[in-house]
Amino acid sequence: MLMQSPGQMIKLELKAAADQLAHSQNGSIFSLPTELLLRVVSSLPIGSIRNFMANRSLRVVSLLVEHLEIDLSWLRPGHFPQSQVPPVTQPDGFAALSLVMNIRSLSLEGIADWIWGPDLAKLREVVFNMKLIRIEIPFLRDPHARYACVWPGSSNIEDKWEGDLGEEIRKLLQAQPLLEEFKLTDSSITWTSLYGSLKTSDVPNLKSLQATPNVAVAFLRAAPRLESLNLMITEWDDRLFSEMETNSAAVGPFIRRFTIRVWYYETWLWDNLAKVLALFPGMEELSITINSQTTATDVVPASFYFRRIVSKVFVLLSLRHVEVRFETLHHDTPEIFEVETRSIVELKTACLLLESVIDPGRRLWTFRPDCQNSRGFAPHLVGSLAEETLWSMEDLPDLLKSD
């Protein structure tokens, strides 16, 4: 029998220990000190090292991730050619998702039926078991809606589904009692589906909501702690305003941050903007985005809409910050974003507590005391703002990033 060297015996012992720990239920090898792990890994074959490090990196990343954005488009045939669907080392991706135990913020996009699709029950189970503070769902489709769209990969399963989208949303909310921020930016759901069923116990801690006005009315009556409201673009009318007025009576005075997106041609809303703003008299921060994405060459400049906003905000006595954005296809025409200094002064005159303004040209204005004029203040242009985009994985340690 051949005698083994001490080095060979140590390697065999370390390999046996690594194999035992790697296959144990608690996976304690992943919590070993880095120095010891280095000694263990040095004894493993190249293939084992690759698998070991892949699993270790996955677990380390899963503990670091608090915000996760997932595009589920690849789950539905027809969205991407099969050659563009990346291979995965773990066939059960939802099991891997369950490793992200510290996640607090989740964004799910790409398919519009994950919350009710019969074949996605496992995904719902994983999401429902998370302890989330924030959820963002760009779109949910109601197959029972009159104008429901046909999506790539759609089947007759939708025709047979007899559930209610409002109830499915309630199940999601009920599973997340810690939820503070909910973003449902678009949906074909009818407002009555949620309106008649949503209860305060479904959203006991909700503080921030982003939704279409038709969906928002259901939350206004059920979320007593709501303080931030972001209304997506839609066409307003007397019926919608009446619903908004009725359901915001209790929570309206407590809304501190209000955001709304408006079509440039939305006559009803521009004529009645003061009435809408007056529903939230305690507002301190106001953000209005004007969508003027038209191919017309004679585009009305941002200054026109800015002046209309100035003439409507007199109802907001607590207003401190205003931001106005202007969306247009004519980015090569900088003068289209300009507003007059006089309009900034008039805005401050209408709202005496106003502290800062961001105009459509992304310029920041503040106000300084000035005893030389009857107003008692003078506008001060601080400068232009630049927005920085955080790329994926920028907040992860370098050792976890691939070359």
Side-chain angles (χ1 to χ4, degrees):
M1 181 177 181
L2 296 176
M3 296 293 294
Q4 294 178 323
S5 66
Q8 290 175 323
M9 292 182 64
I10 291 174
K11 286 185 177 181
L12 288 174
E13 290 173 357
L14 287 172
K15 185 176 185 301
D19 290 340
Q20 181 181 358
L21 287 171
H23 289 87
S24 64
Q25 291 184 351
N26 57 19
S28 57
I29 191 171
F30 299 111
S31 60
L32 292 177
T34 302
E35 294 79 5
L36 182 55
L37 279 173
L38 180 61
R39 190 175 181 185
V40 170
V41 172
S42 66
S43 71
L44 299 177
I46 297 299
S48 297
I49 292 176
R50 182 174 61 250
N51 294 334
F52 173 84
M53 292 308 296
N55 283 285
R56 176 171 169 79
S57 296
L58 176 62
R59 291 182 179 238
V60 171
V61 170
S62 69
L63 294 177
L64 290 175
V65 172
E66 293 186 0
H67 172 70
L68 184 62
E69 298 182 13
I70 304 177
D71 188 339
L72 298 171
S73 300
W74 57 271
L75 285 175
R76 289 287 182 260
H79 283 275
F80 296 103
Q82 190 62 32
S83 60
Q84 293 184 13
V85 178
V88 293
T89 57
Q90 169 57 266
D92 189 351
F94 298 145
L97 182 60
S98 65
L99 294 175
V100 191
M101 296 179 292
N102 293 327
I103 187 171
R104 294 296 177 264
S105 173
L106 177 67
S107 175
L108 289 174
E109 61 178 318
I111 59 175
D113 61 349
W114 71 268
I115 202 169
W116 59 264
D119 58 333
L120 294 173
K122 201 165 188 178
L123 172 61
R124 288 194 294 276
E125 180 182 354
V126 173
V127 173
F128 284 21
N129 286 332
M130 293 177 176
K131 296 178 175 62
L132 299 172
I133 296 177
R134 175 186 178 275
I135 302 176
E136 180 176 4
I137 308 173
F139 184 71
L140 286 178
R141 182 165 55 89
D142 188 345
H144 304 315
R146 182 178 178 184
Y147 300 107
C149 300
V150 177
W151 290 76
S154 297
S155 67
N156 58 4
I157 293 177
E158 301 172 358
D159 299 329
K160 298 178 181 178
W161 187 64
E162 298 179 354
D164 180 82
L165 183 56
E167 283 301 313
E168 301 305 319
I169 294 176
R170 283 192 66 205
K171 291 177 184 177
L172 171 64
L173 296 172
Q174 290 167 354
Q176 305 297 337
L178 302 178
L179 191 68
E180 296 182 2
E181 182 178 356
F182 185 47
K183 291 187 174 184
L184 179 56
T185 52
D186 194 9
S187 176
S188 61
I189 183 175
T190 57
W191 70 276
T192 53
S193 181
L194 269 175
Y195 184 85
S197 59
L198 194 65
K199 296 179 173 58
T200 299
S201 57
D202 299 332
V203 286
N205 292 298
L206 189 66
K207 297 179 180 179
S208 177
L209 173 69
Q210 182 177 10
T212 61
N214 286 294
V215 173
V217 293
F219 285 86
L220 288 173
R221 62 190 291 271
R225 300 188 64 184
L226 199 64
E227 58 187 35
S228 178
L229 180 61
N230 187 334
L231 297 181
M232 304 305 294
I233 201 163
T234 194
E235 293 188 359
W236 286 70
D237 54 27
D238 290 334
R239 182 205 63 80
L240 177 56
F241 175 77
S242 178
E243 292 291 344
M244 188 71 66
E245 183 179 33
T246 300
N247 290 281
S248 65
V251 73
F254 301 99
I255 299 294
R256 296 292 177 260
R257 292 178 296 278
F258 182 70
T259 301
I260 189 169
R261 192 159 174 252
V262 187
W263 294 110
Y264 72 97
Y265 59 78
E266 179 60 52
T267 304
W268 190 98
L269 187 54
W270 284 115
D271 290 344
N272 296 276
L273 183 59
K275 290 170 56 178
V276 175
L277 296 178
L279 297 178
F280 313 104
M283 188 191 312
E284 297 178 359
E285 300 178 21
L286 171 64
S287 177
I288 298 181
T289 297
I290 302 120
N291 185 314
S292 183
Q293 295 182 340
T294 172
T295 57
T297 56
D298 55 341
V299 177
V300 178
S303 58
F304 171 79
Y305 301 101
F306 193 88
R307 289 193 299 270
R308 297 197 70 176
I309 293 171
V310 169
S311 68
K312 307 291 184 180
V313 296
F314 62 89
V315 296
L316 302 175
L317 302 181
S318 301
L319 195 62
R320 296 180 181 274
H321 306 283
V322 173
E323 178 179 6
V324 179
R325 291 175 175 264
F326 190 68
E327 299 175 338
T328 178
L329 301 177
H330 301 273
H331 300 287
D332 55 346
T333 311
E335 58 269 19
I336 203 173
F337 298 95
E338 294 180 358
V339 298
E340 298 175 342
T341 304
R342 180 179 62 183
S343 295
I344 302 294
V345 171
E346 291 174 352
L347 184 57
K348 169 67 172 176
T349 303
C351 305
L352 295 179
L353 297 182
L354 193 65
E355 299 173 1
S356 64
V357 178
I358 300 177
D359 68 22
R362 310 305 299 154
R363 298 182 301 174
L364 174 63
W365 297 80
T366 58
F367 304 94
R368 293 174 173 175
D370 185 358
C371 300
Q372 302 300 319
N373 61 63
S374 59
R375 296 188 301 267
F377 69 87
H380 171 62
L381 178 58
V382 178
S384 298
L385 300 179
E387 297 183 3
E388 181 180 0
T389 302
L390 179 66
W391 297 99
S392 299
M393 298 184 65
E394 280 190 6
D395 55 344
L396 295 181
D398 292 339
L399 60 89
L400 296 176
K401 300 176 185 178
S402 59
D403 296 332

